[in-house]
Amino acid sequence: MLTLHTMFGARSRILDLLQASAEAALEVAEAARRLVRADDPTTALAAVAAAQQRERDLAAEIAQEQVDTFVTVLDREDIAATSAALSRIARVIAKFASRHAWAAARLGEVDLTPHVDLMVACTAIVARMTGELRNGLRLAPLRTLQRQLQALEAEADTLHETAYRTLCLGAANPMRALLVKDLHELLEGAIDRCRDAGNIVYAVVLKNH
C-alpha cells in the first residue's frame, strides 16, 4: 500500500539524486583541474573516471526512480532534462581530461589553468542551482545564481577569444596549435553545457513558481 510517507519520501529522493548528480559533475570538473595542474596525470585521470562513473550511476538511478515513483515533485520531462544536462557536463569535461592527458607533453608553456578554473566555477554554480530545487523552488536565489553563471560565461568567452588570437598570431608549431584549439573548444563546450543546465533548472523553477 502506498502511504503518504512513502510517496513524499520518494518525491524528495528525486531531488536528492539530482543534487548528487550535479555534485558528481562538479567532482569531474575538480578532478580535471587537478589533472591540468599535476605532473603525473595518472591519479587525477582515475579520479575523473571515477567521478564520471558516479554521475552515470546516479543518472541511471534517477531514471529508475521515475519508473518506481507514482508521484514526482517535478514533471517527469523536467527531471529527465535536468539529469541529461548534468550528464552532458560530466561527459564533455571527462573528454577534455582524457584529451589533455595524452596531449600535455606537447603543450609546452601553454597554460590552460585560468580557463579550467572558470569551467570549475561554472560547474559549481550549476551544482548550487540544482541544490536550490530542494529549497522550495525559490526564484530569487536562482535568479542571482543565473546571473553569476552568465557573467562567468562572458568572462570565459573573452578569455577564449584572447587565447585564439594569441594562438593564430604565434602559431609557430602547427601541431601544438591544433591541440590547444581542440582543448579550448572542449572547455568552451563544457561551459556551454553548464549554461544549458542552468537555463533548464531556472526554467523549471519559473514553471513551478
Side-chain angles (χ1 to χ4, degrees):
M1 180 178 178
L2 182 66
T3 65
L4 285 175
H5 177 77
T6 301
M7 183 176 72
F8 286 105
R11 291 171 65 180
S12 174
R13 179 165 169 73
I14 286 282
L15 298 182
D16 291 343
L17 288 170
L18 285 172
Q19 183 176 10
S21 182
E23 290 170 353
L26 178 57
E27 288 175 15
V28 177
E30 290 173 339
R33 175 162 60 185
R34 292 196 298 273
L35 173 70
V36 170
R37 294 174 173 176
D39 294 327
D40 179 8
T42 305
T43 302
L45 193 59
V48 170
Q52 187 187 19
Q53 185 59 53
R54 177 169 175 258
E55 195 287 322
R56 286 172 176 161
D57 293 342
L58 286 163
E61 198 170 348
I62 289 167
Q64 186 61 47
E65 193 71 22
Q66 290 188 81
V67 173
D68 296 341
T69 304
F70 181 68
V71 178
T72 57
V73 67
L74 302 174
D75 288 345
R76 294 178 186 276
E77 60 267 25
D78 292 335
I79 295 170
T82 303
S83 178
L86 296 171
S87 293
R88 283 191 288 271
I89 294 172
R91 186 162 56 248
V92 174
I93 296 175
K95 186 176 181 180
F96 162 80
S98 176
R99 201 73 57 86
H100 187 281
W102 65 259
R106 302 174 179 85
L107 295 180
E109 299 300 318
V110 174
D111 182 15
L112 296 174
T113 302
H115 310 76
V116 174
D117 286 343
L118 283 172
M119 176 193 70
V120 173
C122 288
T123 312
I125 288 181
V126 170
R128 290 175 62 192
M129 292 179 76
T130 308
E132 277 295 324
L133 293 175
R134 301 172 69 251
N135 295 328
L137 301 176
R138 300 177 302 165
L139 188 57
L142 263 295
R143 185 181 291 118
T144 298
L145 290 169
Q146 178 82 335
R147 289 171 179 165
Q148 292 175 7
L149 186 58
Q150 290 169 345
L152 286 173
E153 184 188 9
E155 184 179 350
D157 286 343
T158 300
L159 198 60
H160 285 302
E161 287 175 9
T162 301
Y164 281 137
R165 193 179 307 116
T166 303
L167 191 64
C168 291
L169 293 176
N173 186 326
M175 177 59 71
R176 179 180 298 168
L178 286 172
L179 290 173
V180 173
K181 181 176 182 295
D182 182 51
L183 291 170
H184 274 292
E185 288 175 349
L186 288 169
L187 287 169
E188 278 188 289
I191 291 172
D192 287 346
R193 300 294 79 76
C194 289
R195 176 202 61 208
D196 295 343
N199 287 342
I200 288 170
V201 173
Y202 188 65
V204 168
V205 173
L206 279 176
K207 177 180 175 180
N208 291 275
H209 195 259

